[in-house]
């Protein structure tokens, strides 16, 4: 087996015994309970409130959960110096990063599948738009995982890493709003704002919420552009990590 | 030739951690590295195993640059104050390290080595978070010894161990020495070093100020090896 695979397997072994990982169960129950609460207490129609809440909460919960898992696991490995014993083996530093990324991506895929299954059971929306939405969510998670790895390896501090990744998430979901505001202020800014929109993480691309809630038309081709964007962003983040980690003293 | 260090210097910002270190360690030698806190011992060990890559000078493992993957195939490292991943079991961690080194877990071999370190076999099946400090240190040593690499680099392998555990670990290092392994390790406890090392290297303020046999160090005077060590330090102290 390749060294990337070895790092991946033992990361999965470790995470599955981590208590934080099993915190997913109460998190899932909380998401379901909260969505039912919103259905009962919201001024909008009950079913609509449930659907909106579930879609929004599941995406947020999945992002928060996987980021906490990545940051805590990586930080623990750096702080305990366990990482020293790994990267002094005949493994390239970028292979180590890839192994970690694949492991957390598999966990993220599992979480997304569970939330998708929950959405189907609760009748949040039709299957195809839900599938498109959760595939897009998965790609958002992959970008968040790579960002969390980059930030934790760079900062090597638990609170700073959490804040850094939270900042990345907030900026990612704010770029569209910032661009919309800018476009209303001055049309001359439009080209520059579009560059800004695609240069910074545009995490709002990874959502088909409207198609799910309004049962609008959706096609499998709707995922092509966001997936291509995610692939490009992942490659750029990975390149940044590799350039940094290859020159970094531990 | 196992380890060759030529004119090694390392700066952390404006602070010079290592200054023009020259050191050759032959295959099968057991060399102890000693110095005061902050002398540069860990920095030196880290450059050999490829954790520190920004330095001046040259560090070669069997004539290959220390960062080269082939060089790291022949090296094992145990860091100071190390803790294995808490949620793996002992067997998991040993298997992880073995597989990264290109080997496979042979349970009977692991149990045999664990026995020499007085690490009980049933403990290896438990999660590492249940281990005491001494058990974690022994597990780290087990993971460093098992891949059967030619060169073993240990940063304070006896740190934090009770007297009984220290005896066991020293015996294990003695066994490695008899097997012809190249050992390079740091310690603050000179009497321990004297028992296991063929040679002592003293680092002070980033400079190598002594390189010789323990009996040669004793010739610097004093009743104990520590006295001789302090005499060497004081005679090399910069104003």
């Amino acid at each position: 087996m390749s060294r990337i695979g070895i790092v991946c397997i033992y990361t999965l072994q470790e995470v599955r015994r981590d208590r934080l990982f099993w915190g997913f169960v109460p998190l899932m129950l909380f998401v379901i309970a909260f969505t039912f609460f919103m259905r009962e207490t919201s001024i909008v129609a009950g079913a609509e409130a449930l659907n909106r809440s579930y879609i929004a909460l599941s995406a947020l919960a999945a992002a928060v959960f996987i980021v906490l898992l990545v940051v805590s696991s990586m930080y623990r490995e750096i702080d305990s110096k366990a990482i020293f014993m790994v990267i002094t083996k005949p493994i390239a530093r970028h292979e180590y990063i890839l192994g970690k990324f694949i492991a957390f991506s598999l966990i993220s895929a599992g979480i997304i599948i569970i939330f998708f299954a929950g959405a189907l059971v609760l009748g949040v929306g039709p299957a195809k738009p839900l599938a498109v939405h959760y595939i897009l969510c998965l790609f958002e998670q992959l970008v968040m995982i790579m960002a969390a790895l980059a930030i934790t390896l760079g900062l090597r501090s638990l609170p700073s890493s959490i804040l850094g990744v939270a900042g990345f998430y907030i900026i990612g979901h704010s770029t569209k709003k910032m661009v919309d505001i800018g476009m209303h202020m001055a049309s001359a800014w439009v080209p520059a704002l579009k560059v800004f929109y695609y240069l910074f993480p545009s995490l709002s691309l990874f959502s088909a919420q409207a198609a799910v809630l309004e049962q609008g038309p959706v096609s499998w081709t709707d995922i092509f552009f966001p997936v291509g964007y995610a692939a490009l962003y992942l490659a750029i983040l990975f390149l940044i990590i590799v350039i940094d980690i290859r020159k970094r003293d531990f | 030739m196992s380890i060759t260090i030529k004119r090694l210097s390392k700066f952390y910002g404006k602070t010079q951690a290592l200054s023009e270190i020259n050191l050759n360690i032959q295959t099968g030698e057991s060399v102890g590295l000693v110095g005061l806190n902050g002398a540069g011992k860990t920095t030196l060990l880290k450059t050999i195993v490829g954790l520190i890559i920004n330095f001046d000078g040259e560090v070669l493992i069997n004539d290959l640059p220390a960062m080269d993957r082939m060089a790291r195939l022949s090296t094992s490292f145990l860091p100071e104050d190390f803790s294995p991943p808490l949620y793996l079991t002992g067997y998991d961690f040993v298997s992880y390290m073995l597989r990264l080194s290109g080997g496979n877990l042979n349970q009977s071999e692991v149990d045999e080595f664990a026995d020499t370190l007085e690490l009980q076999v049933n403990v290896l099946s438990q999660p590492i978070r249940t281990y005491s400090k001494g058990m974690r240190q022994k597990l780290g040593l087990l993971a460093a010894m098992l891949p059967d690499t030619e060169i073993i680099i240990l940063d304070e392998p006896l740190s934090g161990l009770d007297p009984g555990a220290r005896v066991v670990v020293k015996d294990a290092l003695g066994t490695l020495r008899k097997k012809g392994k190249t050992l390079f390790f740091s310690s603050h406890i000179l009497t321990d070093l004297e028992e296991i090392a063929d040679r002592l290297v003293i680092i002070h303020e980033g400079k190598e100020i002594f390189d010789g046999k323990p009996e040669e160090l004793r010739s610097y005077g004093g009743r104990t090896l520590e006295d001789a060590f302090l005499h060497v330090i004081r005679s090399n102290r910069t104003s």
Side-chain angles (χ1 to χ4, degrees):
Chain A
M1 181 182 293
S2 75
R3 289 180 172 91
I4 295 171
I6 294 167
V7 171
C8 177
I9 282 174
Y10 285 95
T11 301
L12 289 170
Q13 283 268 57
E14 190 190 356
V15 167
R16 77 176 175 88
R17 294 193 194 111
D18 189 342
R19 284 168 220 179
L20 180 61
F21 176 70
W22 294 104
F24 177 71
V25 174
L27 180 70
M28 182 74 184
L29 292 173
F30 170 77
V31 168
I32 293 170
F34 193 81
T35 53
F36 277 104
F37 171 76
M38 288 303 291
R39 187 185 69 172
E40 298 305 318
T41 59
S42 175
I43 56 171
V44 302
E48 187 186 343
L50 183 145
N51 296 343
R52 279 189 189 281
S53 302
Y54 186 87
I55 289 278
L57 259 183
S58 60
L60 180 63
V64 168
F65 183 74
I66 198 67
V67 159
L68 281 177
L69 210 56
V70 172
V71 171
S72 67
S73 174
M74 280 307 303
Y75 174 74
R76 212 167 39 224
E77 194 149 327
I78 294 168
D79 190 53
S80 68
K81 301 181 189 175
I83 192 175
F84 290 3
M85 281 193 83
V86 177
I87 62 174
T88 52
K89 295 295 180 192
I91 178 172
R93 292 179 179 188
H94 70 269
E95 288 177 325
Y96 170 75
I97 297 299
L98 269 176
K100 289 287 180 187
F101 176 73
I102 292 169
F104 290 117
S105 298
L106 290 171
I107 294 167
S108 183
I111 291 167
I112 293 294
I113 287 169
I114 291 170
F115 275 124
F116 171 60
L120 286 175
V121 166
L122 289 171
V124 169
K128 186 177 174 184
L130 274 176
V132 168
H133 175 73
Y134 281 103
I135 288 172
L136 294 175
C137 275
L138 175 61
F139 278 90
E140 181 189 5
Q141 302 300 303
L142 298 184
V143 173
M144 290 302 301
I145 289 167
M146 193 64 89
L149 285 171
I151 290 168
T152 311
L153 278 165
L155 296 179
R156 301 187 199 182
S157 153
L158 187 62
S160 304
S161 300
I162 291 174
L163 284 173
V165 179
F168 184 89
Y169 185 80
I170 291 167
I171 290 173
H173 281 279
S174 306
T175 47
K176 188 173 187 308
K177 288 188 179 58
M178 286 193 280
V179 168
D180 287 343
I181 292 167
M183 284 169 87
H184 279 107
M185 288 171 70
S187 58
W189 292 1
V190 168
L193 286 170
K194 281 191 173 171
V195 171
F196 174 82
Y197 178 59
Y198 289 117
L199 200 62
F200 281 81
S202 298
L203 299 178
S204 52
L205 276 175
F206 302 102
S207 175
Q209 183 168 323
V212 172
L213 295 173
E214 287 142 34
Q215 303 194 14
V218 70
S219 161
W220 293 113
T221 55
D222 291 339
I223 67 173
F224 288 168
F225 179 75
V227 167
Y229 177 83
L232 185 63
Y233 220 91
L234 281 171
I236 292 168
L237 282 174
F238 182 63
L239 194 61
I240 291 170
I241 295 175
V242 168
I243 291 171
D244 174 54
I245 204 171
R246 286 181 75 167
K247 293 186 177 191
R248 184 181 275 271
D249 289 337
F250 276 88
Chain B
M1 184 77 70
S2 266
I3 301 172
T4 308
I5 299 171
K6 292 180 187 170
R7 305 191 67 178
L8 174 64
S9 295
K10 168 68 183 170
F11 282 87
Y12 289 115
K14 290 181 183 173
T15 306
Q16 187 162 25
L18 296 173
S19 173
E20 301 275 317
I21 303 282
N22 290 289
L23 187 61
N24 293 318
I25 300 175
Q26 305 283 351
T27 304
E29 266 196 300
S30 173
V31 179
L33 181 64
V34 64
L36 299 176
N37 292 336
K41 302 185 297 296
T42 297
T43 303
L44 175 57
L45 295 177
K46 281 182 174 180
T47 57
I48 296 170
V49 297
L51 285 173
I52 288 177
I53 53 177
N54 299 301
F55 55 80
D56 297 318
E58 202 174 26
V59 179
L60 301 173
I61 308 284
N62 293 333
D63 298 326
L64 292 168
M67 264 305 283
D68 192 288
R69 198 188 289 210
M70 292 307 293
R72 284 183 278 139
L73 258 176
S74 48
T75 314
S76 280
F77 176 60
L78 178 65
E80 184 187 6
D81 289 336
F82 151 83
S83 180
L86 294 178
Y87 294 102
L88 291 179
T89 64
Y91 280 126
D92 285 340
F93 180 66
V94 168
S95 170
Y96 186 14
M97 295 295 108
L98 272 170
R99 291 179 79 176
L100 284 177
S101 300
N104 278 306
L105 183 73
N106 179 329
Q107 186 123 354
S108 56
E109 195 182 352
V110 173
D111 292 347
E112 189 189 325
F113 267 98
D115 195 49
T116 62
L117 290 170
E118 292 185 6
L119 195 56
Q120 289 161 358
V121 164
N122 64 322
V123 164
L124 290 175
S125 307
Q126 304 299 322
I128 291 166
R129 61 187 164 84
T130 62
Y131 289 18
S132 66
K133 180 176 163 50
M135 286 156 73
R136 291 179 195 184
Q137 187 75 354
K138 286 182 184 177
L139 179 67
L141 197 56
L142 182 65
M145 285 165 48
L146 266 171
D148 201 27
T149 51
E150 181 200 328
I151 300 167
I152 302 173
I153 313 272
L154 308 165
D155 196 354
E156 305 276 353
L158 303 168
S159 153
L161 297 180
D162 61 46
R166 293 224 323 261
V167 167
V168 165
V169 169
K170 280 191 288 181
D171 285 345
L173 293 177
T175 306
L176 290 173
R177 192 181 171 195
K178 283 178 194 160
K179 283 185 179 177
K181 301 293 180 189
T182 307
L183 297 178
F184 189 30
F185 53 95
S186 67
S187 179
H188 287 299
I189 307 163
L190 282 150
T191 44
D192 287 340
L193 282 177
E194 194 179 16
E195 287 177 45
I196 346 168
D198 302 316
R199 215 167 112 204
L200 294 178
V201 172
I202 299 177
I203 293 237
H204 181 62
E205 293 177 350
K207 296 189 182 76
E208 180 196 329
I209 58 172
F210 176 85
D211 182 350
K213 293 180 181 174
E215 49 269 30
E216 289 172 24
L217 179 60
R218 278 195 183 277
S219 68
Y220 277 79
R223 287 181 301 136
T224 64
L225 206 58
E226 279 78 9
D227 289 340
F229 164 74
L230 288 171
H231 183 89
V232 171
I233 295 286
R234 284 182 198 127
S235 62
N236 281 276
R237 185 158 281 164
T238 52
S239 56

